[in-house]
């Protein structure tokens, strides 16, 4: 196993993983277990959606140590009814998951018991199946590998930051993602950066404020349908965008600002 990752303790006292290659900690504030529920599963209303009759597809973009995917897996496995959940995790490097699965760390990352068995199967063979839940891995470079996955109902977008991975927070990346989303799909991410939100709008999503990720910071929710956004960005946000010196991704078109202003969300 590579030594590129190490287990550290966050400021909140939780165990998390530092990737030395990019110099960033995964789930750096409250830790992976709390963040997976607070920023991803709960805003996605995943527990309620799993009780519907239609199968649900979740794209887990940025598997990391498996925290978001395993939180969804646990919700699915805890049910006694509802449709099948398919989790598709995307990752180019599995060092973090391998480290989190080590016996001395597994419980800290929610990878003990049956959840650990599922993650070990994913690591070894790229797939794990139960009667309620299918979990598969697509290894490769994002955002191109998104085309290898199925159409999504829910997306957890959790790669490293725009500073470390700008190509995954671009208009092009989110346009590709929009093409993989079915009607009613929602997207959830920890980043609340203005350039991330404008890129999502330019890609054709409706966009709103997500849950807090730390002091004075909030994530972002995006959706195919405006009705699925609880706290949509409004004209006050548009005014801040107009004053921002870093309001757009590097690949935004020259007419990005008028395009955003004329987005149906602000009609």
């Amino acid at each position: 196993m590579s030594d590129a990752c190490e287990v550290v303790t966050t400021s909140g006292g939780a165990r998390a993983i530092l990737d030395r290659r990019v110099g960033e900690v995964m789930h750096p504030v409250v830790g992976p277990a709390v963040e997976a529920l607070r920023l991803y599963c709960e805003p996605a209303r995943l527990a309620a959606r799993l009780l519907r009759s239609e199968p649900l597809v979740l794209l887990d973009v940025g598997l990391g140590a498996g925290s978001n995917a395993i939180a969804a897996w646990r919700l699915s496995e805890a049910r006694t009814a509802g449709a099948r959940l398919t989790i598709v995790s995307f990752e180019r490097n599995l060092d973090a998951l391998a480290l989190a699965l080590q016996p001395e760390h597994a419980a800290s990352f929610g990878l003990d018991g049956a959840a650990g068995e599922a993650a070990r199967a994913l690591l070894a063979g790229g797939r794990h199946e139960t009667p309620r839940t299918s979990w598969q891995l697509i290894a490769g470079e994002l955002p191109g590998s998104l085309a290898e996955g199925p159409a999504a109902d829910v997306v957890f977008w959790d790669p490293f930051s725009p500073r470390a991975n700008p190509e995954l927070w671009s208009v092009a990346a989110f346009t590709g993602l929009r093409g993989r989303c079915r009607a009613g799909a929602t997207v959830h991410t920890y980043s609340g950066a203005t350039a991330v939100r404008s890129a999502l709008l330019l890609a054709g999503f409706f966009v709103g404020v997500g849950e807090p990720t730390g002091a004075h910071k909030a994530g972002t929710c995006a959706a195919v349908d405006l009705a699925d956004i609880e706290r949509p960005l409004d004209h006050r946000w548009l005014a801040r965008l107009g004053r921002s010196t870093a309001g757009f991704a590097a690949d935004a078109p020259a007419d990005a600002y008028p395009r955003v202003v004329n987005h149906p969300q602000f009609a």
Side-chain angles (χ1 to χ4, degrees), residues 230-257:
E230 185 175 341
R231 292 177 289 171
L233 302 179
D234 56 19
H235 284 84
R236 289 174 297 178
W237 180 86
L238 270 182
R240 290 195 296 272
L241 174 65
R243 297 190 297 269
S244 176
T245 58
F248 296 100
D251 68 335
D255 61 343
Y257 183 70

Side-chain angles (χ1 to χ4, degrees), residues 36 40-41 44 46 58-62 68-69 72 154-158 188:
Y40 295 99
C41 292
L46 189 59
L58 164 63
L59 301 189
D60 169 47
V61 180
N68 298 333
V154 181
V155 180
F156 293 169
W157 193 268
D158 195 22
H188 308 271

Side-chain angles (χ1 to χ4, degrees), residues 88-154:
V88 183
S89 292
F90 296 81
E91 184 57 76
R92 65 183 178 185
N93 191 296
L94 300 175
D95 289 347
L97 181 60
L99 179 59
L101 279 167
Q102 293 298 302
E104 66 269 30
H105 302 312
S108 297
F109 291 92
L111 295 174
D112 47 351
E117 293 176 10
R120 280 189 290 273
L122 188 82
L123 185 64
R127 182 178 292 273
H128 181 266
E129 303 279 347
T130 75
R132 288 176 291 275
T133 316
S134 171
W135 188 11
Q136 68 182 82
L137 171 69
I138 294 179
E141 291 291 335
L142 287 161
S145 59
L146 281 175
E148 301 175 35
D153 301 296
V154 181

